[in-house]
Amino acid sequence: MEKPDKKNRIFRLSLTDATTHERIWSLRYSKTTFLVGGISAVVIVVVGLYCLIAYTPIRTFIPGYPDAYTRRQAVQNALRIDSLQTRILQWELYTENLRRVVAGEEPIRMDSLILGSQGTAANADVDYLALRDSLLRADVVQEEQFELSTGAVRNLPIEALTFYSPAKGVISDGFVQSAHPWVDITAPEGTMVTSVLDGTVVFTGWDQESGYMLVLQHKGDILSVYKHCQKLLRKTGDSVKAGTPLGLVAASASLTKGDHLHFELWYNGKAVDPAEYISF
């Protein structure tokens, strides 16, 4: 009588009625199928738990994970810090201006744009910056008035372009290709919304969910979309330069996101993550 091969043993798991001894269910398996089945079951359970925690509100119960209130507080604190930095800069410029007046020197001449946006102007040549800003503004006004073109512009790839930030704020909800193909930029109501590149307004509109919205067409098959505005400053057909004001951020009724700008960036017909190309 041959000795059975232990490697090829077949096992049976049966479910039998204790009274009638009728076999209700039976499963035949070997060591290999049992091992593969066990590993597969563990993998399925691990993946299922990961999806359950990662894509459902259950993740907020994890100790240390920020909930909606914590994230909102972090965004508000970041906005307060930014406002304080701007206020400190204004006081530094005011002090320097006062010192020059007392000493009989020529006072600093700066417009509100430099006072509000140049975070390092206190350590730079302020008069030089003011002069350059005035010249730039004169050139922009002249080009917009007479619609002059300085020449052909190359269609550079999106990676080689320099984008303006669409709004001065903090990203409160990031880009997710399948579920959230845009970013939400938290900013106070009334914050200026600006064009990220030179382009043409191809659509303006309003609906109950998105508020006032505006779409810009840029060179290189690039589209930018701005939603949740309380007011639009441009109309369909307008040509705009990078950094041109487009509208104002509207107040939001959402307690979790607060006031914010909905911003989308499209390249070659596909939504892309704006955070990869724009410094917010």
Short mmCIF file of all heavy atoms in Angstrom, two decimals, residues 45-72:
data_model
loop_
_atom_site.label_atom_id
_atom_site.label_comp_id
_atom_site.label_asym_id
_atom_site.label_seq_id
_atom_site.Cartn_x
_atom_site.Cartn_y
_atom_site.Cartn_z
N VAL A 45 -9.79 42.52 3.76
CA VAL A 45 -10.19 43.18 5.02
C VAL A 45 -9.38 44.45 5.24
O VAL A 45 -9.92 45.50 5.61
CB VAL A 45 -10.02 42.21 6.20
CG1 VAL A 45 -10.19 42.95 7.53
CG2 VAL A 45 -11.01 41.06 6.10
N VAL A 46 -8.06 44.39 4.99
CA VAL A 46 -7.20 45.56 5.19
C VAL A 46 -7.60 46.69 4.23
O VAL A 46 -7.72 47.86 4.63
CB VAL A 46 -5.72 45.18 4.99
CG1 VAL A 46 -4.85 46.43 4.97
CG2 VAL A 46 -5.26 44.25 6.10
N VAL A 47 -7.82 46.35 2.95
CA VAL A 47 -8.21 47.36 1.97
C VAL A 47 -9.58 47.96 2.33
O VAL A 47 -9.81 49.16 2.22
CB VAL A 47 -8.23 46.76 0.55
CG1 VAL A 47 -8.83 47.75 -0.44
CG2 VAL A 47 -6.83 46.38 0.12
N GLY A 48 -10.49 47.10 2.75
CA GLY A 48 -11.81 47.58 3.14
C GLY A 48 -11.76 48.54 4.32
O GLY A 48 -12.41 49.58 4.32
N LEU A 49 -10.96 48.19 5.33
CA LEU A 49 -10.81 49.09 6.48
C LEU A 49 -10.16 50.40 6.09
O LEU A 49 -10.55 51.47 6.58
CB LEU A 49 -9.97 48.38 7.56
CG LEU A 49 -10.65 47.23 8.29
CD1 LEU A 49 -9.67 46.56 9.26
CD2 LEU A 49 -11.88 47.72 9.06
N TYR A 50 -9.16 50.34 5.19
CA TYR A 50 -8.49 51.57 4.75
C TYR A 50 -9.48 52.49 4.03
O TYR A 50 -9.54 53.69 4.31
CB TYR A 50 -7.33 51.24 3.82
CG TYR A 50 -6.72 52.45 3.16
CD1 TYR A 50 -5.81 53.26 3.85
CD2 TYR A 50 -7.05 52.80 1.86
CE1 TYR A 50 -5.27 54.38 3.25
CE2 TYR A 50 -6.51 53.92 1.25
CZ TYR A 50 -5.61 54.70 1.95
OH TYR A 50 -5.07 55.81 1.35
N CYS A 51 -10.27 51.92 3.10
CA CYS A 51 -11.25 52.74 2.38
C CYS A 51 -12.31 53.30 3.33
O CYS A 51 -12.74 54.45 3.19
CB CYS A 51 -11.92 51.90 1.28
SG CYS A 51 -10.79 51.39 -0.04
N LEU A 52 -12.71 52.49 4.30
CA LEU A 52 -13.73 52.93 5.25
C LEU A 52 -13.23 54.11 6.08
O LEU A 52 -13.97 55.06 6.35
CB LEU A 52 -14.12 51.75 6.16
CG LEU A 52 -15.28 52.01 7.14
CD1 LEU A 52 -16.57 52.25 6.38
CD2 LEU A 52 -15.43 50.84 8.10
N ILE A 53 -11.96 54.07 6.46
CA ILE A 53 -11.39 55.14 7.29
C ILE A 53 -11.02 56.35 6.44
O ILE A 53 -11.22 57.50 6.84
CB ILE A 53 -10.16 54.62 8.06
CG1 ILE A 53 -10.60 53.53 9.06
CG2 ILE A 53 -9.45 55.75 8.79
CD1 ILE A 53 -9.45 52.87 9.77
N ALA A 54 -10.47 56.11 5.25
CA ALA A 54 -9.94 57.22 4.44
C ALA A 54 -11.03 58.03 3.77
O ALA A 54 -10.87 59.24 3.58
CB ALA A 54 -8.98 56.68 3.38
N TYR A 55 -12.16 57.39 3.40
CA TYR A 55 -13.16 58.08 2.60
C TYR A 55 -14.49 58.28 3.31
O TYR A 55 -15.49 58.59 2.66
CB TYR A 55 -13.38 57.32 1.29
CG TYR A 55 -12.14 57.21 0.44
CD1 TYR A 55 -11.42 56.01 0.36
CD2 TYR A 55 -11.64 58.31 -0.25
CE1 TYR A 55 -10.27 55.91 -0.41
CE2 TYR A 55 -10.48 58.22 -1.01
CZ TYR A 55 -9.81 57.02 -1.10
OH TYR A 55 -8.66 56.92 -1.83
N THR A 56 -14.54 58.09 4.59
CA THR A 56 -15.76 58.32 5.36
C THR A 56 -15.44 59.17 6.57
O THR A 56 -14.28 59.31 6.96
CB THR A 56 -16.39 56.98 5.82
OG1 THR A 56 -15.48 56.34 6.75
CG2 THR A 56 -16.64 56.06 4.64
N PRO A 57 -16.46 59.79 7.19
CA PRO A 57 -16.22 60.63 8.38
C PRO A 57 -15.65 59.87 9.58
O PRO A 57 -15.32 60.50 10.59
CB PRO A 57 -17.62 61.18 8.69
CG PRO A 57 -18.38 61.09 7.41
CD PRO A 57 -17.86 59.85 6.74
N ILE A 58 -15.53 58.54 9.47
CA ILE A 58 -14.98 57.78 10.60
C ILE A 58 -13.57 58.23 10.94
O ILE A 58 -13.13 58.15 12.10
CB ILE A 58 -15.01 56.27 10.28
CG1 ILE A 58 -16.46 55.78 10.15
CG2 ILE A 58 -14.28 55.45 11.34
CD1 ILE A 58 -16.58 54.32 9.80
N ARG A 59 -12.82 58.73 9.93
CA ARG A 59 -11.43 59.13 10.18
C ARG A 59 -11.32 60.26 11.21
O ARG A 59 -10.28 60.44 11.82
CB ARG A 59 -10.77 59.57 8.87
CG ARG A 59 -11.40 60.77 8.21
CD ARG A 59 -10.67 61.11 6.92
NE ARG A 59 -11.22 62.26 6.24
CZ ARG A 59 -12.20 62.22 5.36
NH1 ARG A 59 -12.74 61.04 5.06
NH2 ARG A 59 -12.66 63.32 4.78
N THR A 60 -12.41 61.04 11.38
CA THR A 60 -12.35 62.13 12.35
C THR A 60 -12.30 61.63 13.79
O THR A 60 -11.98 62.40 14.70
CB THR A 60 -13.57 63.05 12.18
OG1 THR A 60 -14.78 62.29 12.34
CG2 THR A 60 -13.57 63.68 10.79
N PHE A 61 -12.63 60.33 14.00
CA PHE A 61 -12.57 59.77 15.35
C PHE A 61 -11.16 59.31 15.72
O PHE A 61 -10.93 58.91 16.86
CB PHE A 61 -13.55 58.59 15.48
CG PHE A 61 -14.99 59.00 15.37
CD1 PHE A 61 -15.68 58.86 14.18
CD2 PHE A 61 -15.65 59.54 16.46
CE1 PHE A 61 -17.00 59.23 14.07
CE2 PHE A 61 -16.98 59.91 16.37
CZ PHE A 61 -17.66 59.76 15.17
N ILE A 62 -10.23 59.34 14.77
CA ILE A 62 -8.85 58.95 15.06
C ILE A 62 -8.22 60.03 15.92
O ILE A 62 -8.25 61.21 15.57
CB ILE A 62 -8.05 58.75 13.76
CG1 ILE A 62 -8.69 57.65 12.90
CG2 ILE A 62 -6.59 58.42 14.06
CD1 ILE A 62 -8.01 57.46 11.57
N PRO A 63 -7.60 59.69 17.06
CA PRO A 63 -6.97 60.71 17.91
C PRO A 63 -5.91 61.49 17.14
O PRO A 63 -5.05 60.92 16.49
CB PRO A 63 -6.34 59.88 19.04
CG PRO A 63 -7.14 58.61 19.07
CD PRO A 63 -7.52 58.33 17.65
N GLY A 64 -6.00 62.81 17.18
CA GLY A 64 -5.04 63.66 16.50
C GLY A 64 -5.44 64.08 15.11
O GLY A 64 -4.81 64.98 14.54
N TYR A 65 -6.48 63.46 14.53
CA TYR A 65 -6.91 63.84 13.17
C TYR A 65 -7.75 65.11 13.26
O TYR A 65 -8.68 65.20 14.05
CB TYR A 65 -7.73 62.73 12.52
CG TYR A 65 -8.02 62.97 11.06
CD1 TYR A 65 -7.14 62.52 10.08
CD2 TYR A 65 -9.15 63.67 10.66
CE1 TYR A 65 -7.39 62.74 8.74
CE2 TYR A 65 -9.41 63.90 9.32
CZ TYR A 65 -8.53 63.43 8.37
OH TYR A 65 -8.78 63.66 7.05
N PRO A 66 -7.43 66.14 12.46
CA PRO A 66 -8.18 67.41 12.56
C PRO A 66 -9.59 67.28 12.01
O PRO A 66 -9.79 66.77 10.91
CB PRO A 66 -7.34 68.37 11.70
CG PRO A 66 -6.62 67.48 10.73
CD PRO A 66 -6.35 66.20 11.48
N ASP A 67 -10.56 67.74 12.77
CA ASP A 67 -11.93 67.75 12.29
C ASP A 67 -12.20 69.06 11.55
O ASP A 67 -11.30 69.88 11.34
CB ASP A 67 -12.92 67.57 13.45
CG ASP A 67 -12.70 68.60 14.55
OD1 ASP A 67 -11.96 69.58 14.31
OD2 ASP A 67 -13.26 68.42 15.65
N ALA A 68 -13.45 69.26 11.12
CA ALA A 68 -13.78 70.44 10.32
C ALA A 68 -13.55 71.72 11.10
O ALA A 68 -13.06 72.72 10.56
CB ALA A 68 -15.24 70.35 9.86
N TYR A 69 -13.87 71.70 12.41
CA TYR A 69 -13.67 72.90 13.22
C TYR A 69 -12.19 73.25 13.36
O TYR A 69 -11.80 74.41 13.24
CB TYR A 69 -14.28 72.68 14.62
CG TYR A 69 -14.04 73.82 15.57
CD1 TYR A 69 -14.79 74.99 15.49
CD2 TYR A 69 -13.03 73.72 16.55
CE1 TYR A 69 -14.55 76.04 16.36
CE2 TYR A 69 -12.80 74.78 17.42
CZ TYR A 69 -13.56 75.93 17.32
OH TYR A 69 -13.32 76.98 18.17
N THR A 70 -11.35 72.22 13.58
CA THR A 70 -9.91 72.46 13.71
C THR A 70 -9.32 73.01 12.42
O THR A 70 -8.50 73.94 12.44
CB THR A 70 -9.20 71.16 14.09
OG1 THR A 70 -9.79 70.63 15.28
CG2 THR A 70 -7.71 71.41 14.35
N ARG A 71 -9.74 72.44 11.27
CA ARG A 71 -9.23 72.92 9.99
C ARG A 71 -9.66 74.36 9.75
O ARG A 71 -8.87 75.18 9.26
CB ARG A 71 -9.74 72.03 8.86
CG ARG A 71 -9.20 70.60 8.90
CD ARG A 71 -9.82 69.75 7.81
NE ARG A 71 -9.52 70.28 6.49
CZ ARG A 71 -10.08 69.81 5.38
NH1 ARG A 71 -10.98 68.83 5.46
NH2 ARG A 71 -9.77 70.31 4.21
N ARG A 72 -10.90 74.67 10.11
CA ARG A 72 -11.39 76.05 9.92
C ARG A 72 -10.59 77.00 10.79
O ARG A 72 -10.22 78.11 10.35
CB ARG A 72 -12.87 76.11 10.25
CG ARG A 72 -13.49 77.49 10.00
CD ARG A 72 -14.95 77.52 10.37
NE ARG A 72 -15.52 78.83 10.11
CZ ARG A 72 -16.74 79.20 10.46
NH1 ARG A 72 -17.52 78.32 11.07
NH2 ARG A 72 -17.18 80.40 10.20
#
